[in-house]
Amino acid sequence: MKNKIIAGNWKMNKTRAEAAALIEELLPLVADTPNTVIICVPFTDLDTALSLTAGSNIRVGAQNCHWKESGAYTGEIAPSMLKEMGVEYVVIGHSERRTYFGETDATVLARTKAALAAGLRPIVCIGETLAERQSGRMEEVLTRQVQEGFKDVTPDELKNIVVAYEPVWAIGTGVTATDEQANDAIKFVRGVFADKFGGKAAEELYIQYGGSMNDANAAGLLSMSDVDGGLIGGASLVAKKFAAIVHAHE
Ligand code: 13P
């Protein structure tokens, strides 16, 4: 089995002072893990995160980037701006962005391509809603999200991408997918990637689970054969909880 990639998605939380306190507490707690540790922080915390984690095993990510290199796009951030700062990862296509900010498979693809071109590693989120799962459309939705959202991605580019399977019904709800539900869905997604990119590329691809993962359920989820890591929201805002998830499967 691969080592895991454990990423915290702080969402719209933590001022600079709060970010510094959280990172200072986290650094010694995760220093000795073989797993990859990433914190995806608000834009305003990137500078703080980068300077406090310099020389450590914590990698830093942003939570979005635009697809253009520059221009009249008020409020947006270009991938090159992140890259120049030293940011390594960027979350793309989170369900909250799809739901509240009009993100589509096409914009996810455009942002992903631009992030890759700038030398960033995208963490691309996919996942079905409760209604889609209950109406038996989960596989159709996940297939579309992969086929459309990764349409122009090359096999070489895929090596620099992490995928996060986040069922929308499990995000921030306290309802976690069971170990088997997470594994089955990720296995299915891996099969769609295998159809598009070949079996070896799909095997090597990191696919995380996200949705109410916490210090109590992480060990079970991360022990599943196809779950290559976690994308953690709420529990990543508490150093001890996030550290416990980082160490849950080593
Ligand atoms: P929660 O862990 O708060 O459910 O959030 C998951 C998530 O959306 C991570 O991107």
Side-chain angles (χ1 to χ4, degrees), residues 41-238:
V41 306
F43 292 125
T44 47
D45 291 335
L46 284 171
D47 200 32
T48 303
L50 286 164
S51 49
L52 288 177
T53 60
S56 82
N57 65 326
I58 300 181
R59 318 259 62 91
V60 174
Q63 297 174 14
N64 186 28
C65 67
H66 199 253
W67 54 85
K68 287 285 176 67
E69 267 313 294
S70 62
Y73 302 99
T74 302
E76 291 291 327
I77 298 287
S80 58
M81 297 170 176
L82 300 173
K83 181 67 183 175
E84 188 200 55
M85 294 181 78
V87 172
E88 284 181 56
Y89 291 86
V90 58
V91 177
I92 293 183
H94 192 278
S95 69
E96 286 147 18
R97 297 212 53 88
R98 293 179 191 253
T99 302
Y100 304 131
F101 302 102
E103 203 79 67
T104 65
D105 294 327
T107 59
V108 168
L109 176 61
R111 292 182 205 275
T112 299
K113 291 290 283 187
L116 288 164
L120 298 169
R121 295 173 186 268
I123 301 174
V124 182
C125 303
I126 60 173
E128 81 287 357
T129 64
L130 186 60
E132 288 163 345
R133 178 175 274 257
Q134 287 178 337
S135 61
R137 293 179 50 228
M138 179 184 90
E139 296 190 350
E140 173 198 327
V141 169
L142 294 175
T143 302
R144 190 208 72 222
Q145 289 177 338
V146 172
Q147 281 177 351
E148 298 298 315
F150 292 78
K151 191 156 59 187
D152 305 332
V153 170
T154 68
D156 259 0
E157 287 176 333
L158 191 68
K159 293 179 184 152
N160 288 318
I161 294 178
V162 175
V163 173
Y165 166 65
E166 299 206 305
V168 179
W169 46 271
I171 296 177
T173 57
V175 181
T176 318
T178 64
D179 299 346
E180 289 72 24
Q181 281 174 326
N183 203 52
D184 288 351
I186 291 177
K187 249 196 186 120
F188 175 80
V189 168
R190 201 179 297 285
V192 182
F193 276 101
D195 290 344
K196 185 163 166 48
F197 293 95
K200 185 165 178 288
E203 193 57 41
E204 289 170 357
L205 177 66
Y206 270 84
I207 309 182
Q208 302 171 310
Y209 167 78
S212 297
M213 193 188 270
N214 59 38
D215 46 330
N217 59 32
L221 287 161
L222 294 171
S223 71
M224 302 305 285
S225 61
D226 272 69
V227 181
D228 297 325
L231 185 56
I232 296 102
S236 74
L237 300 173
V238 182

